[in-house]
Structure formats: C-alpha cells, structure tokens
Amino acid sequence: MNNSQQNPPSPRYLQELYESGVNISAFLREQQGISWNTESIIEVAYDLQAGSYIALSETPEGSNLKERYTSEIANVILSLFRPSSLLEAGVGESTTLAGVLKHLKIPVDAFGFDISWSRVAYGKKYLEKQGIPNVTLCTGSLLSIPFADESIDIVYTSHSIEPNRGKEETILKELLRVTRKYLILLEPGYELAGEEARKRMDFHGYCRNLKEIASQLGCKVLVHELFPVIGNPLNPTAITIIEKEVKKTSSPYILACPKFKTHLEKIGNVLFSPEGLMIYPIIDDIPCLRIENGIIASHYKKLHT
C-alpha cells in the first residue's frame, strides 16, 4: 500500500505534530505522495497555526515589519485612488488588514475572507482589540470566492495565493471577477528571486508566473516588481497591480453564494441562497461561505417565514 492509500491522520494527531515542530503541509504532501498543496492541506495547516501571526506581529521585530509593510500597501492603494470598498482575499488573522486600514485613514467598507475558520475568528477579535469596527469577515475559498461580481473597488492578497501552485489561473479569474477597479497581488516573487529562494518555493509548492498568467488572461498589468518591504529574503514579496476596466454597474449585494455567485438572505442564524436552495451557517458571527459549508435546504425559507 502506498502513502496515498493510507488512512488520513486525524486533525488531533496533526495538531500534536504541529506542536512538536513538524511542518504540516510538507508532512501531508509526503504522506499523500504529491508535490502540491490541496485545499484540505492548506486548510488544516493554516488552521493549526491560528493565533501565531498575531503573536508574531506583537513582537518588536514583527511589529516594526508589519508597520512598514502595511504602510507601504496603504500608500500603493492611495496612489491608485480612494476606494469605497476594500477586500483582503485570504485575510488570515487580519494583521495585515488592520494595519492597512489604520494607515489608509479614510472611510472604507472593509471585507476579508479566509479558508480557515479559526484564523478568521482570531482576526475578528484582533480587529476589535485594535479598535477597528464594522469589518465583514467570513470563511471562503480563493477558488470560489463568496463575493458578487465586480462588488469591491480594490481587492488585494498578501501571500494567500502563495501555497496554491498549479491553481494560479483559477484563483486569478476569481479575484478578477470580484474586483471592480484594481487587483493588487503581494505574492512570492518567484521569477524575481534568486536560485536559493526559488528552490525553497519549489519545495513548499508556492505560486509562480502570476504576471504571465494575468497577461495571458488579457489583463492590464501596471506594475510587477519586488515590493520594497520584504520580511524573508528567501521568500521575497513581489507586487503586481492589475487595472480592470469596469464593465457594469456595481452589484447591489456583496456577499454571495460561493457556488452560484447570487445573493444571500439572512434568515435567523444562517444565510439562505434562493438560487442554490442552500443554507450556510453563521458561527460566532462568522458566515461560513465555502461551497462545502452549504446544506441543501429547499424548504428552509418557507419553514422560517
């Protein structure tokens, strides 16, 4: 029996491995006999890390890096225009989003989603601690983003496409679908990195060729270069800015059914999709909007009205 045929390890066992210092993504890739990260690998690996990014950001070195990094992102955004809405796709624990909002110093409707519920929960508490109210957070997948078409002025990522090598085109199409004016990618600069950094990115299954893929999709790429603030020389951040031509009026709704991209109705403590006849749970005020979270409930609205 090969590794891919073995029974999968329990999350509890993986938690014990993580706490002992094991790289969970690498462990699961080896166990499954693959060289790329599946969504399930990414979900469990990052969920087990929940809270660690906040802890790092509160160290002197981490705090300094976060301030410089988020200040520069805010400067880039304001150099493009003053958005009325902003989305961080792959928001993690909201450490980057909090810093960006702090440095923007303008009123903006802010949103974020992440594949990991635990990280979103930490992020929600972190934003509250930072005195940043009224940010809408939910769970979601980069492969099926739970936001309406052209619903957000500026969408940005911060190393969230990173572990998704092989899925770059699908993710870019989804990000562009949601974006109304500008898409800003802060991701590993594979093509701009040295040999040692590339080898490390290859080992971890990090993304690459984002500019090339964007160009193949017909995008107008304004910038593709190394970002001036880099936390790890072996994982240098590149910034790619894509301008999108607005093709239609903005959507009357923001959050959307991840499967059909249609509007959702809040009924009690769930979000109901009239198109999908599905309900999505809301746990601790966090809408769970991955396709896998949906439950077919064709009579839910009739039974609750």
Side-chain angles (χ1 to χ4, degrees):
M1 182 180 292
N2 62 36
N3 286 343
S4 63
Q5 295 174 317
Q6 295 177 2
N7 291 328
S10 72
R12 176 59 189 159
Y13 176 65
L14 293 175
Q15 186 179 52
E16 292 172 355
L17 290 181
Y18 171 72
E19 290 172 352
S20 69
V22 173
N23 183 303
I24 298 301
S25 296
F27 172 82
L28 290 173
R29 289 196 304 271
E30 181 178 2
Q31 191 208 44
Q32 296 175 28
I34 58 177
S35 59
W36 64 93
N37 295 307
T38 63
E39 268 210 310
S40 60
I41 288 176
I42 295 169
E43 178 185 17
V44 71
Y46 281 89
D47 200 85
L48 291 173
Q49 296 178 46
S52 64
Y53 281 59
I54 291 174
L56 178 61
S57 74
E58 292 175 343
T59 65
E61 182 180 358
S63 176
N64 178 267
L65 175 62
K66 182 190 72 173
E67 283 296 305
R68 292 187 293 115
Y69 184 69
T70 58
S71 175
E72 188 62 29
I73 295 173
N75 289 338
V76 169
I77 291 172
L78 293 174
S79 73
L80 297 171
F81 87 124
R82 293 168 64 93
S84 61
S85 57
L86 180 72
L87 167 67
E88 182 175 340
V91 72
E93 298 162 30
S94 300
T95 52
T96 298
L97 180 59
V100 169
L101 293 175
K102 171 187 170 184
H103 290 294
L104 279 177
K105 299 178 181 178
I106 59 172
V108 61
D109 293 330
F111 302 84
F113 73 87
D114 199 87
I115 193 172
S116 160
W117 183 90
S118 295
R119 299 193 80 202
V120 173
Y122 271 96
K124 185 176 176 64
K125 290 185 179 294
Y126 182 76
L127 288 168
E128 292 170 356
K129 183 180 177 181
Q130 299 299 310
I132 303 174
N134 303 322
V135 176
T136 301
L137 299 180
C138 64
T139 67
S141 167
L142 286 168
L143 301 172
S144 51
I145 298 175
F147 285 75
D149 295 359
E150 298 191 342
S151 56
I152 305 292
D153 283 345
I154 290 185
V155 177
Y156 76 91
T157 68
S158 179
H159 288 263
S160 58
I161 305 176
E162 180 176 279
N164 287 281
R165 177 173 292 190
K167 299 184 279 289
E168 293 93 343
E169 182 174 341
T170 299
I171 291 172
L172 276 179
K173 286 180 177 178
E174 271 294 273
L175 291 168
L176 288 163
R177 177 184 64 79
V178 173
T179 301
R180 181 162 168 76
K181 295 186 178 178
Y182 293 97
L183 173 61
I184 303 170
L185 307 174
L186 295 145
E187 297 294 339
Y190 185 88
E191 300 77 20
L192 304 173
E195 183 178 357
E196 185 179 1
R198 287 192 186 194
K199 286 181 179 179
R200 181 179 181 275
M201 294 179 195
D202 288 335
F203 173 78
H204 288 292
Y206 285 177
C207 63
R208 58 184 176 182
N209 300 328
L210 292 176
K211 177 181 181 293
E212 179 182 346
I213 295 169
S215 297
Q216 290 172 354
L217 292 174
C219 296
K220 182 179 180 180
V221 180
L222 302 180
V223 173
H224 178 68
E225 62 191 23
L226 287 176
F227 197 57
V229 182
I230 295 175
N232 181 357
L234 293 180
N235 189 20
T237 302
I239 181 169
T240 306
I241 302 176
I242 298 169
E243 183 178 11
K244 183 178 176 183
E245 180 183 351
V246 179
K247 296 181 180 178
K248 62 180 183 179
T249 59
S250 59
S251 171
Y253 56 92
I254 305 295
L255 291 182
C257 172
K259 188 170 185 177
F260 295 99
K261 318 306 181 190
T262 50
H263 79 283
L264 296 166
E265 299 177 13
K266 190 174 187 299
I267 303 175
N269 206 39
V270 303
L271 291 172
F272 176 71
S273 168
E275 183 69 25
L277 299 179
M278 306 177 77
I279 56 173
Y280 296 90
I282 301 173
I283 302 174
D284 286 354
D285 292 326
I286 298 171
C288 299
L289 294 177
R290 294 176 63 197
I291 289 177
E292 298 92 327
N293 301 143
I295 301 169
I296 289 288
S298 59
H299 290 259
Y300 191 87
K301 185 173 181 179
K302 182 187 297 184
L303 291 167
H304 289 79
T305 56

